[in-house]
C-alpha cells in the first residue's frame, strides 16, 4: 500500500483526539472523536454522542460523515480514529469512501489508494449568508439544504437549518446507508454537528420536501428533547403557514435518563 507519511497520520490522529473533547458521554465517560479527510485536505471532525436510550448512540465516524454530507461534501479520502476500527466502523468507512481502502498497520487510519492531500483546515459547517428575515425565509433555506440529502433508498430528502446562540446557521440532511440501522435523519445530523463544534441550538427550521405533514421521527424527538427540550422548531407546511412546536411538546413524558448517571458500584 502507498503508506502516507507518519507525520500526516500523526496530524490526523491528533485532530481526531482533539475532537473527543466535545464528545457527549455522560453514561460511559469515554470520550471519542474521529475525523474524515476530504479530497482537498479539509478535515471533518465527529464525536461520540450518547443517548439516554443507549441504542440511539451517534458514533463519531457517523457524525463526521453526516456533517460532511450536510455541508455538500462526499469526497472522503480517509477516515481516522485514534484506535483500531471495529468491523462495523470499517463497513461505514468503506461506504463513505465509496470503494476499497487500505488500513495502516495498527488499523487507526484508512485511505483510498490515491495519495493523501496535505492536511488543511477544519471544515466550517456554517451556512454563508444573512440570517433569515422570517420563518418563510428560514424554511426556504432548509429546502435548499435538503438538496444535499443522501437518500438513495428513500428518495425522501429532509433538510433543516439550525440557528445557534452565537448567530451561526448549520445545515442538516438525512444520510442513508445500505445498513438502515445507521441512517441519521436531518435533525440528528444537525444536532451532532452542533455538539461537535461546541454550538448551542437556538431555533430549528425543518422541511420534509415531499411531505407537507412531515414531522421529526421518534428517534429525533428523543435526541432533541435530551439536548434542547424548549428549542423552537419551525416545520414546513408547504403553502400553508409553518407549524411551531418544541421537542418537549413533541415528546411529552420522555425518558430522561437522569437516574443513569449514577456510577455503577
Ligand atoms: N427522515 C428525516 O431525516 N427526518 C424526519 O423527520 C423523518 C424521516 C428521513 C430518514 C430517512 O432517510 C427518510 O427520511 C425516510 O424515513
Amino acid at each position: 500500500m502507498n503508506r502516507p507519511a507518519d507525520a500526516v497520520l500523526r496530524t490526523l490522529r491528533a485532530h481526531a483526539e482533539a475532537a473527543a473533547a466535545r464528545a457527549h458521554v455522560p453514561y460511559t465517560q469515554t470520550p471519542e472523536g474521529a475525523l474524515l479527510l476530504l479530497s482537498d485536505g479539509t478535515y471533518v471532525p465527529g464525536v461520540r454522542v450518547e443517548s439516554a436510550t443507549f441504542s440511539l448512540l451517534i458514533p463519531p465516524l457517523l457524525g463526521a460523515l453526516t456533517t460532511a454530507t450536510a455541508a455538500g461534501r462526499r469526497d472522503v479520502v480517509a477516515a481516522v480514529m485514534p484506535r483500531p476500527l471495529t468491523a462495523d466502523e470499517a463497513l461505514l468507512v468503506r461506504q463513505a469512501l465509496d470503494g476499497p481502502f487500505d488500513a495502516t498497520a495498527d488499523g487507526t487510519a484508512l485511505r483510498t489508494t490515491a495519495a493523501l492531500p496535505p492536511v488543511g483546515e477544519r471544515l466550517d459547517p456554517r451556512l454563508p449568508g444573512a440570517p433569515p428575515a422570517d420563518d418563510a425565509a428560514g424554511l426556504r433555506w432548509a429546502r435548499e439544504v435538503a438538496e444535499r440529502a443522501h437518500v438513495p433508498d428513500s428518495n425522501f430528502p429532509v433538510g433543516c437549518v439550525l440557528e445557534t446562540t452565537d448567530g451561526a446557521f448549520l445545515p442538516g440532511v438525512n444520510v442513508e446507508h445500505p445498513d438502515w440501522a445507521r441512517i441519521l435523519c436531518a435533525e440528528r445530523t444537525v444536532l451532532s454537528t452542533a455538539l461537535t463544534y461546541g454550538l448551542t441550538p437556538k431555533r430549528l427550521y425543518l422541511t420534509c420536501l415531499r411531505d407537507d405533514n412531515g414531522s421529526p421521527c421518534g428517534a429525533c424527538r428523543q435526541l432533541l428533547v435530551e439536548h434542547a427540550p424548549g428549542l423552537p422548531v419551525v416545520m414546513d407546511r408547504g403553502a400553508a403557514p409553518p407549524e411551531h412546536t418544541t421537542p418537549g411538546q413533541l415528546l411529552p413524558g420522555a425518558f430522561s435518563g437522569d437516574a443513569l448517571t449514577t456510577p455503577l458500584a
Side-chain angles (χ1 to χ4, degrees):
M1 103 186 235
N2 182 13
R3 185 184 164 86
D6 284 345
V8 174
L9 288 181
R10 268 201 306 278
T11 304
L12 293 173
R13 239 173 262 152
H15 286 320
E17 273 163 21
R22 296 252 167 78
H24 176 74
V25 289
Y27 308 112
T28 65
Q29 277 90 40
T30 51
E32 274 198 321
L35 73 80
L36 296 176
L37 188 68
L38 305 180
S39 60
D40 63 356
T42 301
Y43 66 91
V44 188
V47 303
R48 177 179 171 98
V49 178
E50 294 177 353
S51 161
T53 66
F54 286 18
S55 60
L56 292 178
L57 172 81
I58 304 176
L61 278 172
L62 183 59
L65 178 63
T66 57
T67 292
T69 306
R73 302 291 300 266
R74 294 281 297 182
D75 52 325
V76 178
V77 296
V80 181
M81 286 195 71
R83 57 153 175 78
L85 301 187
T86 64
D88 204 45
E89 288 163 348
L91 186 64
L92 178 72
V93 167
R94 191 186 301 276
Q95 288 158 8
L97 292 170
D98 198 19
F101 58 83
D102 302 316
T104 57
D106 58 3
T108 56
L110 305 172
R111 62 186 184 80
T112 61
T113 44
L116 288 188
V119 183
E121 298 291 307
R122 188 176 72 156
L123 177 85
D124 181 355
R126 293 174 301 172
L127 293 163
D134 52 22
D135 286 347
L139 288 172
R140 274 199 301 279
W141 220 1
R143 284 185 212 122
E144 281 172 30
V145 165
E147 303 293 329
R148 302 172 180 173
H150 185 69
V151 288
D153 285 5
S154 70
N155 195 27
F156 186 80
V158 181
C160 62
V161 172
L162 181 71
E163 181 179 358
T164 63
T165 51
D166 67 342
F169 290 84
L170 301 176
V173 296
N174 48 338
V175 181
E176 297 179 350
H177 323 272
D179 178 357
W180 282 17
R182 277 205 312 269
I183 289 175
L184 271 202
C185 296
E187 300 92 317
R188 275 175 290 162
T189 290
V190 86
L191 179 65
S192 134
T193 304
L195 290 167
T196 301
Y197 284 80
L199 302 174
T200 306
K202 183 175 174 192
R203 191 174 182 82
L204 182 68
Y205 301 94
L206 172 67
T207 184
C208 296
L209 279 186
R210 299 186 197 286
D211 180 4
D212 287 348
N213 294 311
S215 178
C217 77
C220 290
R221 292 177 190 210
Q222 175 68 32
L223 261 287
L224 288 171
V225 90
E226 287 182 32
H227 291 273
L231 180 72
V233 179
V234 183
M235 297 196 293
D236 194 0
R237 289 294 169 256
E243 192 176 327
H244 294 87
T245 187
T246 66
Q249 287 168 353
L250 287 168
L251 196 61
F255 178 59
S256 73
D258 286 350
L260 287 168
T261 51
T262 311
L264 298 178

